[in-house]
Amino acid sequence: MNIRTTTDPISLRDVPDPDHHPCIYEGDGDNGIEIYFESEENRQTYMQIEVTDHIVLQSNLSDSYVAEG
């Protein structure tokens, strides 16, 4: 599943016309997230953020799986 978000993660403002703004795609092609930015400067700021602790979420696609949380 691919997710598209139009909230700029740097400014936290909505990007009203995403087709005319910079974006990045993070994922493997089948599953990922498309993130849109108000400006190229915000995109570059986001790209420079270093994450030290990565969390990998995995799901269970069986019929008996019940999400808890």
Side-chain angles (χ1 to χ4, degrees):
M1 172 173 53
N2 289 306
I3 298 170
R4 181 184 213 196
T5 180
T6 58
T7 301
D8 183 318
I10 302 302
S11 69
L12 300 178
R13 289 191 287 260
D14 188 49
V15 178
D17 187 11
D19 293 333
H20 295 98
H21 285 84
C23 75
I24 62 167
Y25 179 82
E26 295 183 348
D28 62 12
D30 292 326
N31 298 296
I33 185 167
E34 210 173 355
I35 305 169
Y36 285 85
F37 299 87
E38 284 187 303
S39 66
E40 180 61 27
E41 180 181 345
N42 285 2
R43 189 181 81 80
Q44 290 297 327
T45 300
Y46 179 83
M47 297 295 290
Q48 293 172 0
I49 296 172
E50 292 188 29
V51 179
T52 57
D53 295 323
H54 292 93
I55 298 172
V56 177
L57 300 177
Q58 296 179 340
S59 64
N60 180 338
L61 299 177
S62 69
D63 291 336
S64 62
Y65 176 72
V66 176
E68 297 177 13

